[in-house]
Amino acid sequence: MSASTTVLVADIGGTNARFALADLSLAAPLNQGSIVEYPVAQFGSLADAAAHYLQEQGATASSGVFAVAGRVDGDEARITNHPWVISRSRTAAQLGFDQLHLINDFVAQAMSIALLGPADVVQIGGASWEPAPAGEPRNYCVIGPGTGLGVGGLVVRDGRNYPLATEGGHTSFAPANPEQIRILELLSAQFGRVSNERLVCGPGLVNIHRALSEITGTDPGQLAPSDVTARAAAGDAIATRAVEVFLEIFGAVAGDAVLVQGAWDGVFLTGGLVPRLLQQLQLSGFRPRFESKGRFTATMSQIPSMAIVHPCPGLLGATAYALDLQHATRGTPA
């Protein structure tokens, strides 16, 4: 790799930090073989983790793009589920970087769409998708259930990619049938206002399962999301229904996000739960609920919904962000 075109990219979560090297001069710039994951608890700071990675790889870089699972506020970012407080300028100085960009993790997820190929996605429903020809305008949405519910977008205009960072996961839950109305009543008694994130994420799956258990008069005990999916896989009726309801609501929320953002060119499904529930997703009520939008049902039936199966979309998106910065500096379309 040429040092002048090498960028250190990172995807920093509350538990793990992933690093990789990207060579912006290549057609496929993200070096898959360079990806390494570390527990964040192993290091006192992000700069320590990044410096350790570069030393371990025997690599040098003069710039970086770090996606962080938390809010980026000017020079500073805070990881939502970890005590690291990251100063962009201080981290850049410690690493000897000329440039360092901190971006929200869902900005990276949105930017990854620019580099996704057909092998990186699985089609959900009847509408197909393929990467857009260079220079054509596009409006995309990205939504992902993990620890929470992330929602973002990507607007492509004049060869540039403009990611939209939103807090769309905190929009209000709208039940679609009597069962979901009862679930809302039970969750409202616990939380007051019920956002979509209370249902469409890992803890949300547990909330749905507990509500369904309460409806049937059973006590499931303390469960993790993996316990619910394991029980469903073993044939447990309430757990199976919890997964079904989760995917139906996920579809409805994804469809709403398309309508709000005008993402007529497709929605991309990401997050930790999507690969684990991929088979169920393809066979579930996700797509019927996604399309069921009254007078817009015919329109929604034509909108692609694609599950991202690329192993590191956050790193791919950080790479796409670096590429877009390079093109903007040179005045050439991405």
Side-chain angles (χ1 to χ4, degrees):
M1 285 188 178
S2 165
S4 62
T5 59
T6 299
V7 176
L8 177 64
V9 293
D11 185 12
I12 314 299
T15 304
N16 296 307
R18 287 178 173 174
F19 293 94
L21 299 170
D23 186 340
L24 304 187
S25 68
L26 301 179
L30 179 62
N31 181 349
Q32 300 279 355
S34 71
I35 297 172
V36 177
E37 181 176 283
Y38 305 112
V40 293
Q42 187 176 327
F43 301 95
S45 70
L46 175 55
D48 291 342
H52 176 83
Y53 171 82
L54 288 171
Q55 182 179 29
E56 195 173 62
Q57 294 290 310
T60 58
S62 58
S63 64
V65 176
F66 295 172
V68 297
R71 184 166 179 262
V72 179
D73 186 8
D75 186 70
E76 188 176 275
R78 293 177 179 268
I79 305 297
T80 302
N81 295 307
H82 189 269
W84 278 356
V85 177
I86 303 164
S87 163
R88 183 199 59 77
S89 56
R90 188 162 57 247
T91 302
Q94 288 175 283
L95 294 172
F97 282 2
D98 297 329
Q99 284 190 332
L100 176 62
H101 298 270
L102 299 179
I103 61 175
N104 176 265
D105 59 338
F106 257 76
V107 167
Q109 293 288 340
M111 286 295 294
S112 75
I113 297 169
L115 293 181
L116 290 173
D120 298 320
V121 295
V122 172
Q123 181 176 322
I124 307 298
S128 61
W129 170 85
E130 59 183 39
E136 287 201 8
R138 289 290 187 270
N139 283 33
Y140 296 118
C141 175
V142 60
I143 182 168
T147 304
L149 177 62
V151 181
L154 185 70
V155 176
V156 183
R157 294 292 186 276
D158 301 320
R160 291 294 310 280
N161 299 299
Y162 300 95
L164 306 176
T166 86
E167 289 297 341
H170 295 280
T171 52
S172 298
F173 169 54
N177 54 45
E179 179 184 53
Q180 291 182 17
I181 290 171
R182 183 60 183 139
I183 291 171
L184 174 59
E185 290 173 344
L186 292 169
L187 295 185
S188 183
Q190 180 179 356
F191 299 113
R193 176 183 179 269
V194 178
S195 69
N196 284 314
E197 188 175 73
R198 293 293 191 187
L199 299 103
V200 187
C201 66
L205 177 60
V206 175
N207 288 337
I208 293 170
H209 183 267
R210 176 163 291 280
L212 292 174
S213 297
E214 188 169 340
I215 290 170
T216 58
T218 59
D219 182 359
Q222 293 296 319
L223 299 179
S226 58
D227 297 322
V228 178
T229 55
R231 289 187 180 191
D236 179 87
I238 295 177
T240 298
R241 184 58 191 151
V243 172
E244 291 170 349
V245 171
F246 173 91
L247 293 173
E248 290 168 5
I249 296 172
F250 184 19
V253 173
D256 287 346
V258 167
L259 291 173
V260 168
Q261 294 185 18
W264 310 123
D265 297 300
V267 60
F268 290 80
L269 316 177
T270 187
L273 288 175
V274 169
R276 298 174 204 168
L277 296 175
L278 186 58
Q279 184 176 6
Q280 295 98 314
L281 190 60
Q282 292 173 295
L283 302 173
S284 73
F286 174 93
R287 188 69 196 192
R289 295 294 302 126
F290 175 86
E291 295 180 10
S292 181
K293 299 300 177 188
R295 286 168 287 179
F296 271 79
T297 296
T299 299
M300 296 300 291
S301 70
Q302 303 302 311
I303 308 297
S305 54
M306 313 299 294
I308 297 177
V309 294
H310 187 283
C312 300
L315 293 176
L316 192 68
T319 302
Y321 192 93
L323 270 174
D324 212 65
L325 288 170
Q326 181 190 73
H327 292 306
T329 301
R330 295 178 179 178
T332 59

